[in-house]
Each structure stands twice: as C-alpha cells, then as structure tokens.
Amino acid sequence: MEVLGILPLVMDNSDKSGGIVILDFGSQYTQLIARRIREFEVYSEILPWNATEARIMGPRPKGIILSGGPRSATGPDAPSIDKSLLTGTVPVLGICYGMQLIAHTLGGSVEKGRLGEYGRTRVIFGDGAREKILKGVPDAIDVWMSHWDEVSSLPDGAAQFGVSESGSCAAFSMDDGRITALQFHPEVDTTEYGREILSNFLYDICGCEPNWKLGDWVKRSLGDIGSTVGHDERVICGISGGVDSTVAAVLVSKVIGDRLDCIFVDHGFMRKNEPEQVVEAYKKLNLRIRHVDASEKFLAAVNGVTSPEEKRKIIGELFVRVFEDEARKVGGAKWLLQGTIYPDVIESGFVGGDVIKSHHNVGGLPEDMEMSLLEPIRELFKDEVRRIGPLLGIPEELLKRHPFPGPGLAVRCLGNLARERLDILREADAIFMEEIRNFGLYDSIWQAFCALLPVRSVGVAGDIRTYGETVVLRAVASRDAMTAESVRLPWELIDRVAKRVCGEVPLVGRVVMDVTGKPPATIEWE
Ligand code: XMP
C-alpha cells in the first residue's frame, strides 16, 4: 500500500458517527447543506424525510437538519416528522420548510403569508438575549428567503429571535437553543454570515469535531475495500477516463493490485481521439486495461431511439452486459467497480427526491446483474473526489479533465443517433475544445462541450442554398454540477469557433450558444 507514504499526517478518528443527518424534504438546496457541512470537516448524510427513526439515529448523529421543501406543512399529504425526533436530546436545525414543520409539529401554526418572501431579504435579530447560533453575527443581515408560508404562532416554550423586514417570523429557538428554526437559508452564499451560522450550529450547539478528513477517508476506504473484497476475488472496473472512475480504480488497485481488470468500453459515443488517449493514460497509472470496441453493438441498440431516458437505460444496461462478457473472459469477476458519486445517487432518486436523470452508473442497472457492485466513492462529492486524486498519485491532467457523462455523446446528439451525426459532433467538439485551450480557459471552466440539435436550418454558401445541422456550444461554471451558470466566453473565441465549425465540419450550417443556467436547464441536453 504505497499510497500511505504520500498521505498527509491526519487524525485517525474520522468516522461517520458524530456527524449530521440532513432530512430531505425536497429542497433544491439539500445537497448544498451537506456540502457546506463537509467544508467544516464534519460528516453529513442526506436521508429521505420519511426514513425510520432507527435509520436516522443509527449513525449516532450529533445533530439533525431539516431541509427546506416545496410543500405546505399543513397540507393533506405534507411530509412530516416523528415528534420524538424533536423532543429528544439531539440538536435540530430547521431551515425554511424545516422551520415551519417544527412549528406545526410542536403546536404552533403555519399560514400562507400575505406576499411571500423571495430573494435577498433583511432580517433583524434585535439586541435581546443572544442565541448560540448567532455568535459573531451582527444584529441585522441580508439573507436568502424563498417561501410563501410563514410561522404565524409559535409552539409553547419557543422564543422568536429574528424578524424579517416584512414583519414575519424569521427565526425562533426552543429548549435553550437545542432546537433552532430559521426561515432563511444559511447554506446559500447570498445569506450574509451563513457560514458562521452553520459553524455555530455544528461546533457550538452540536459539539461536532472537525474529523471528516479526506486523508482519513482514504485510509478507511482502503481498509473497507480490503475487508469487502475476498482474497481470491477479482474486480472489474469500467473506466471512462473521467475523474470518478479513475479515482475509484486507483483506490481499489492500491489494495488488490492486479486482481483489478479495467475495462474501457468504447461505446461509440466518445469524443475525438478519446479512446487512444484514455488507454495511454491508464497504462501510465499501471492499471491493467482492456480496450473493448463495442460501438457497433451500442449504435444498433439505440438505433431509432430519441427519448433521453430510454437512451440512458439502454446504454446503461448494455454497458453492464458488455462488462459481464469481459468478466467471463478474465476468469470471472465477483465485483463490478463503479465510480458512482453522491450526486449520482441522489439525482437518480435513491434518497427520496424526484428522479431527474437516470445516471448511467446508477439508474440503468439491470435487476438480474450477475456481479456485485463495488462503489467506494459513492459518499463523496465531486470536489472531494478531485482532492483525493493527488493523495493517490493521480496526475493533475487526469483530475482536471472536464466531466463527461457515462452515455457520452449519445446524450449530446439529439435526434437520430447515426454514426455520421456523431462524427459531426466529434469534429465540432474537438474544434471548440482546441480553441478553449488556445485561449487558456480550459482549466477555469467546469465543463464545456458541443451538442448537436435535431434542427436543420437554411443557409447560403457560395450562392448555393444549404440546409445544415445545428451545433450548440455550452460552457458552464459550477462547483459540483448541482447548479451551474453559463460562462461568458470571449466573443473572439465564440466567433472563431463558429467560423471554424461551419467552415471545417461538413454539413454544419449554424452554430448557436446555450446560455441557460442550471436550474432551470440541466448541464447536458438529455
Ligand atoms: P446534468 O446534465 O444532470 O449533469 O446537469 C450534471 C453533471 O453530471 C454529468 N452527467 C453524467 N455523469 N453519468 C455520469 O457519469 C451520467 O449518466 C451523466 N449524466 C450527466 C454531466 O456531464 C454534468 O457534469
């Protein structure tokens, strides 16, 4: 386990007990809460609002956070909470819907406000008794609000300590600060002193220790892998060249060495020259790699399919079948290793929210799969995975690659998935990437790519009417892919790419730019 030699000196007591459980009531910010908490080096886990008490209390959390949510706490099918979670001894922080739910559950009332509050709002805490949660926070701050309902009367024993500029209850506490309820979102950057508020909750109210260290995580994970994979068992890993599968593969290879076979499946939806580059990079990492060209099979399977979800499911399932075949060829692997990360698990609906997209490495798995799944990084966020890379000796250029979806260009080629259209997309994408690098912008952009639209348009070239394909450029800034903003690329770059794509890629007649954020769009087009 040579990896230990390059680990920083870290504490050994990092584990999941003593962390925070976040109950998800469907807020778009739930993951943000979890990430913020981990930034304070405290483990956080998201559970669905209706998780059993045994599941919630199982990891002995030091605190529970009730997230926001889109529903009304008094509505007929409103997500609820077991009262005993509030009346026990564990500190609770309710945010937005979480606040209203605490009020409603403990005998207060919640009503529709006159106007609702959306966006930046002034909150006044006043100069009364200072709450622990307000340590270092001034008497009035601007916060992020997003609610219609409001708490109109407090439960017995509760004390209001914050009021918003419109006069509605913005914060109350109970049981000497063990329960804190905030109408605003401390996890959102717009909220001034939001980090102080969360830090006060974690360290001062819950007594958490900053022991969620990635170096510790790696050590623990190496131990877990060693005790999970039997001494004579083999593992197969689907690698794509992406950060997640690379980190997962290197992590496991540190423990089981050449009992790991990495399979690179070229499904025909890779970018220009990508298969060769990926295989080369992995050889340098001393991973045993098999390059399987299954493009014909995949193209045949998605022939005529245009529904995004159907495409994803077909590709995901075929992927696993190809693995199973390869597993037999290498002597039968017990385990299928995947670089599934936490947002994949959550977005695929495993935590209780809506299914947004079936992520290829989670939602598309067939039920009768022969291998068992090994997913060592499924509890990590992307930025955490990136930070682990150097601890494992993975070179920067692999870690800095823009994310690429499992189904590849299949979810960027809208409409007919013919080989010729994929080739057009590959060429256009290569030009866009080349120019982004020429402008020195690759490393500062989270993700950039081209998509091909199922729309043709009229043009003119050399006095002749054309009826060409449409390429769309997309470049986004993000921290974790959960939210994203369109990047303002220099006009010279866009102009140059448009001219080159129309001039160099046959059949393209128009280049357009996608400037939509996430939400409301997703990063990929499908
Ligand atoms: P969306 O389109 O959901 O994408 O905003 C968020 C991030 O996830 C990537 N993505 C995927 N990654 N398998 C993956 O490994 C998938 O099926 C998949 N779909 C989307 C996407 O490129 C973006 O970075």
Side-chain angles (χ1 to χ4, degrees), residues 188 229 235 251 253 276 346 442:
V188 172
V229 179
V235 179
L251 194 61
S253 80
E276 301 76 18
I346 293 167
Y442 186 86

Side-chain angles (χ1 to χ4, degrees), residues 312 347 357 359-361 403 405-407 446-447 481 518 522-524:
R312 283 175 171 273
E347 288 216 341
K357 289 181 185 180
H359 274 246
H360 150 156
N361 40 7
W446 166 270
Q447 194 171 8
K518 171 182 180 176
T522 52
I523 294 175
E524 301 293 343

Side-chain angles (χ1 to χ4, degrees), residues 302-502:
V302 293
N303 185 23
V305 178
T306 52
S307 145
E309 274 301 285
E310 212 183 317
K311 263 187 211 175
R312 283 175 171 273
K313 292 245 155 72
I314 292 172
I315 294 170
E317 175 153 357
L318 191 51
F319 221 88
V320 176
R321 296 294 171 220
V322 174
F323 273 124
E324 286 177 340
D325 286 350
E326 293 306 314
R328 278 183 218 105
K329 286 183 202 157
V330 297
K334 159 99 196 298
W335 299 94
L336 172 62
L337 168 64
Q338 296 209 104
T340 311
I341 61 172
Y342 204 30
D344 301 339
V345 176
I346 293 167
E347 288 216 341
S348 291
F350 278 55
V351 169
D354 271 358
V355 175
I356 297 167
K357 289 181 185 180
S358 294
H359 274 246
H360 150 156
N361 40 7
V362 182
L365 294 178
E367 277 168 18
D368 59 343
M369 193 175 77
E370 288 168 15
M371 288 175 278
S372 307
L373 268 187
L374 188 62
E375 297 182 312
I377 57 171
R378 69 180 273 132
E379 63 192 9
L380 300 184
F381 287 102
K382 187 109 190 168
D383 52 339
E384 293 175 319
V385 177
R386 282 212 166 105
R387 275 163 35 219
I388 279 176
L391 303 181
L392 296 168
I394 300 171
E396 284 273 290
E397 62 269 22
L398 266 178
L399 298 171
K400 282 186 172 166
R401 289 184 58 160
H402 289 182
F404 188 59
L409 299 184
V411 292
R412 296 178 178 173
C413 185
L414 284 72
N416 182 17
L417 268 176
R419 199 182 273 276
E420 304 73 52
R421 294 191 77 235
L422 288 163
D423 284 342
I424 291 174
L425 179 53
R426 261 187 276 272
E427 290 303 323
D429 190 73
I431 291 173
F432 189 28
M433 288 309 115
E434 189 183 316
E435 292 300 339
I436 283 181
R437 286 184 197 277
N438 288 345
F439 277 72
L441 292 175
Y442 186 86
D443 288 346
S444 59
I445 293 175
W446 166 270
Q447 194 171 8
F449 57 89
C450 291
L452 192 65
L453 301 188
V455 175
R456 294 174 77 184
S457 69
V458 175
V460 55
D463 294 335
I464 295 174
R465 178 187 188 273
T466 57
Y467 190 49
E469 299 269 9
T470 312
V471 166
V472 57
L473 312 181
R474 183 137 175 79
V476 294
S478 177
R479 283 186 62 166
D480 52 17
M482 296 311 301
T483 57
E485 277 179 56
S486 171
V487 173
R488 289 169 198 221
L489 295 176
W491 181 251
E492 298 70 33
L493 165 61
I494 300 172
D495 186 45
R496 189 163 164 72
V497 172
K499 286 189 178 120
R500 281 194 62 193
V501 169
C502 288

Side-chain angles (χ1 to χ4, degrees), residues 99-311:
M99 171 196 200
Q100 296 159 9
L101 188 61
I102 293 173
H104 178 64
T105 310
L106 297 181
S109 12
V110 174
E111 287 172 10
K112 199 169 246 347
R114 272 178 306 120
L115 295 171
E117 289 174 313
Y118 295 94
R120 195 184 290 269
T121 308
R122 193 83 175 149
V123 162
I124 297 116
F125 296 119
D127 54 6
R130 299 296 289 178
E131 300 283 329
K132 279 189 205 155
I133 195 111
L134 293 182
K135 191 177 84 186
V137 179
D139 287 345
I141 56 172
D142 283 343
V143 301
W144 182 257
M145 291 276 197
S146 180
H147 69 111
W148 194 278
D149 286 0
E150 61 184 44
V151 173
S152 51
S153 75
L154 295 176
D156 282 347
Q160 178 169 324
F161 65 91
V163 64
S164 77
E165 60 194 18
S166 69
S168 63
C169 175
F172 71 82
S173 68
M174 300 180 73
D175 199 9
D176 202 19
R178 185 185 60 80
I179 294 181
T180 308
L182 304 175
Q183 183 55 72
F184 59 90
H185 291 266
E187 71 278 18
V188 172
D189 273 335
T190 315
T191 294
E192 294 176 324
Y193 296 90
R195 283 188 162 75
E196 283 77 1
I197 290 171
L198 287 177
S199 154
N200 291 339
F201 177 68
L202 298 176
Y203 297 134
D204 293 26
I205 296 178
C206 300
C208 292
E209 299 283 338
N211 61 2
W212 171 252
K213 310 252 187 213
L214 289 177
D216 288 348
W217 184 92
V218 171
K219 274 192 203 165
R220 200 158 36 81
S221 175
L222 293 171
D224 286 351
I225 293 164
S227 54
T228 306
V229 179
H231 289 298
D232 52 353
E233 290 169 359
R234 303 192 68 85
V235 179
I236 280 217
C237 174
I239 46 116
S240 61
V243 179
D244 305 339
S245 57
T246 306
V247 168
V250 173
L251 194 61
V252 170
S253 80
K254 299 283 179 198
V255 182
I256 69 164
D258 63 6
R259 280 187 288 129
L260 170 68
D261 282 287
C262 295
I263 314 285
F264 173 65
V265 176
D266 179 357
H267 49 24
F269 309 123
M270 294 289 161
R271 289 163 292 188
K272 191 174 176 184
N273 299 331
E274 189 164 22
E276 301 76 18
Q277 287 165 0
V278 169
V279 171
E280 206 39 47
Y282 280 91
K283 280 188 185 147
K284 285 196 195 135
L285 281 171
N286 290 329
L287 294 172
R288 265 156 60 109
I289 178 158
R290 286 169 75 90
H291 177 183
V292 186
D293 182 356
S295 52
E296 293 293 343
K297 249 188 214 169
F298 277 87
L299 280 172
V302 293
N303 185 23
V305 178
T306 52
S307 145
E309 274 301 285
E310 212 183 317
K311 263 187 211 175

Side-chain angles (χ1 to χ4, degrees), residues 7-13 213-217 219:
L7 283 177
L9 195 60
V10 284
M11 291 157 51
D12 256 332
N13 60 348
K213 310 252 187 213
L214 289 177
D216 288 348
W217 184 92
K219 274 192 203 165

Side-chain angles (χ1 to χ4, degrees), residues 59-78:
R60 289 175 285 126
K62 288 246 179 180
I64 297 172
I65 295 183
L66 314 181
S67 84
R71 309 289 286 277
S72 189
T74 53
D77 303 316

